[in-house]
Amino acid sequence: MYRSSGAVKYLIAGAFAMLFLGAFMLWSIFAAYVKTSFMCSDTDVTNMYTFFLSFFCLGALLCGKLRGGEHPRKALLACAALIGGGYMLCSITENLKLFFIGYSILNGIGVGFAYNAILAAVVPWFPGRSGFATGVLFMGYGLCGTIFSMPVSNLLKIVTWRDMFLILSFCSAVVLVLVSCILRPVAATQEKTAADNGADSIPPAQMIRSSSFILYFIWVVLLLAGGMVLNGTAALCAAEAGLSLTLAAASTSVLSFSGAISRIIIGEFYDHKGYRLSMAVVQVLYLTGCIMLLGGLHVNPTLLFLAYPMIGFSYGSLPTISSPFVLTFYGKKYYAQNFSVLGLYTFFSSMCGPFLFSIALSKFDGSFSRALLLLPLLGIVACMTVMIFFLTRQKPSVNYK
């Protein structure tokens, strides 16, 4: 049930804002233009995105520390200035260092802060449906690449990448300002219960010492690292396996779409079946997808059309179930802070996956199909971790409903 009739309005507004926050997923489209414009190396371009993710995590942590979800208007107005200013700086500067400041630092902090502020403001409006609410928000976030990739690519044939950054600056700032006028925190309704007051909630310092957090964090990092590797190499691997360029591109679209749609499905599933079955489903889908992946790479490439959606669904589900997991296990009072700490899995996964994959590529002489043996290995270790989680009978520390 919802706290008020306005809850759906807040959810729609939050999902709309998240759609524009996901614009950083378009970086692969802009990367070649930025490289040519600044005459920089592939390493420089990769580092831009890597540092963006680092400052994204920093922004999310700052939001939790400053309790941005309790003051979404102020938080989102600040984010509008950071993101709008960041894109604006990128569009006008001729200096690579200033571009780095605009894209990686200002934009990274702004997106991370807004991301956490929206989750913290919207999800508590849906007690008992936190999985569904999180899924809708993340589906908006994940659909950005699917919806805008083709239009942006076509526009870049007409306008320059700098013009597109100006458009992103304007659109992101306007959307965040509008949404800041709509969102209200639950606290604003003066409907606090004993659970809301957080008598049994667990603060971050205590959470990170709990075995439930440690095991869950390791599990998410491992599966997300595998998903990130596949997400970055799907088209190349499909082509190497023998698919045509058209089918290779189609397989990548299937991967992206399954990751996006998984968010609302797994969120609803979490609400009805709980964290144990949700984690089990994600794990089984990942391992089954890895088996199909090996079959597609070494036996019949059409099996990739089964492997990619399974792994994509598993990979896309992880952020969605993490939000209600934090509420279920550690309570609502420190939700924004706790979720921002757990959200560091983004940073560790983005470091772990590409690093291990580069080692595998080197070992297998640049063969993508053989290097992807890394994915089932990560899945096996993750499976062992989740089995330990279940066998040690990890239980929620609070009774959140």
Side-chain angles (χ1 to χ4, degrees):
M1 60 182 293
Y2 311 140
R3 284 190 178 271
S4 79
S5 59
V8 175
K9 176 179 69 176
Y10 302 143
L11 182 61
I12 294 171
F16 187 66
M18 293 287 263
L19 179 65
F20 282 84
L21 290 179
F24 74 88
M25 296 181 183
L26 303 173
W27 175 248
S28 60
I29 297 175
F30 293 110
Y33 295 95
V34 172
K35 178 184 174 182
T36 302
S37 180
F38 289 98
M39 300 297 291
C40 57
S41 66
D42 289 330
T43 302
D44 291 328
V45 172
T46 301
N47 287 340
M48 292 283 183
Y49 189 74
T50 301
F51 278 102
F52 170 89
L53 293 176
S54 301
F55 284 100
F56 171 92
C57 293
L58 176 61
L61 285 171
L62 285 173
C63 182
K65 186 69 174 178
L66 300 175
R67 305 176 75 85
E70 295 182 5
H71 311 284
R73 176 172 294 182
K74 293 179 180 179
L76 293 180
L77 288 176
C79 293
L82 285 169
I83 297 172
Y87 279 128
M88 177 74 74
L89 178 59
C90 289
S91 70
I92 62 176
T93 185
E94 299 290 343
N95 185 293
L96 185 61
K97 291 181 179 178
L98 288 178
F99 184 92
F100 171 81
I101 291 172
Y103 185 82
S104 299
I105 299 180
L106 296 180
N107 198 17
I109 292 175
V111 172
F113 202 103
Y115 162 93
N116 205 10
I118 291 170
L119 282 168
V122 174
V123 172
W125 283 96
F126 294 81
R129 299 293 305 281
S130 57
F132 166 77
T134 305
V136 171
L137 292 175
F138 277 125
M139 186 170 68
Y141 189 69
L143 282 175
C144 179
T146 303
I147 294 174
F148 292 122
S149 290
M150 287 301 294
V152 168
S153 297
N154 290 330
L155 276 173
L156 285 171
K157 298 175 183 177
I158 305 171
V159 301
T160 69
W161 70 268
R162 294 182 183 275
D163 294 328
M164 280 305 306
F165 268 55
L166 274 176
I167 294 171
L168 285 174
S169 173
F170 176 77
C171 292
S172 300
V174 169
V175 167
L176 288 174
V177 169
L178 290 176
V179 171
S180 74
C181 297
I182 298 172
L183 291 188
R184 296 288 184 276
V186 168
T189 65
Q190 303 299 320
E191 293 179 3
K192 280 182 171 288
T193 61
D196 293 332
N197 290 326
D200 54 356
S201 293
I202 293 173
Q206 183 179 346
M207 177 190 72
I208 61 175
R209 295 195 298 268
S210 66
S211 57
S212 61
F213 173 82
I214 294 170
L215 289 169
Y216 184 86
F217 187 85
I218 293 172
W219 178 69
V220 173
V221 166
L222 291 169
L223 292 189
L224 203 59
M228 285 182 173
V229 167
L230 182 62
N231 198 48
T233 61
L236 291 171
C237 292
E240 187 176 302
L243 292 179
S244 67
L245 292 178
T246 301
L247 288 177
S251 69
T252 304
S253 298
V254 170
L255 176 66
S256 300
F257 180 76
S258 62
I261 200 67
S262 70
R263 291 160 166 83
I264 193 167
I265 296 174
I266 199 67
E268 190 73 7
F269 186 85
Y270 187 104
D271 290 334
H272 288 88
K273 300 299 182 180
Y275 66 93
R276 286 180 178 272
L277 273 178
S278 298
M279 293 172 69
V281 165
V282 170
Q283 181 64 61
V284 169
L285 278 174
Y286 183 90
L287 286 177
T288 306
C290 285
I291 294 172
M292 294 293 103
L293 178 66
L294 294 178
L297 294 174
H298 302 287
V299 181
N300 187 336
T302 57
L303 289 175
L304 295 179
F305 284 94
L306 293 176
Y308 282 7
M310 287 183 181
I311 297 176
F313 191 99
S314 174
Y315 162 74
S317 299
L318 293 168
T320 301
I321 67 172
S322 294
S323 173
F325 178 87
V326 169
L327 282 170
T328 302
F329 271 73
Y330 312 113
K332 188 169 63 178
K333 180 178 179 181
Y334 302 102
Y335 167 74
Q337 298 97 310
N338 287 336
F339 185 67
S340 64
V341 172
L342 178 61
L344 288 172
Y345 59 62
T346 301
F347 174 77
F348 285 97
S349 297
S350 64
M351 296 295 105
C352 172
F355 173 73
L356 293 176
F357 187 68
S358 65
I359 294 175
L361 271 179
S362 176
K363 180 176 177 61
F364 292 114
D365 299 321
S367 170
F368 283 95
S369 58
R370 296 176 67 191
L372 279 183
L373 287 169
L374 171 68
L375 269 64
L377 289 177
L378 290 172
I380 291 170
V381 179
C383 187
M384 294 170 61
T385 303
V386 80
M387 287 177 65
I388 295 172
F389 184 97
F390 292 151
L391 291 174
T392 52
R393 300 181 182 275
Q394 302 294 332
K395 293 181 179 179
S397 304
V398 298
N399 183 24
Y400 176 77
K401 283 292 182 185

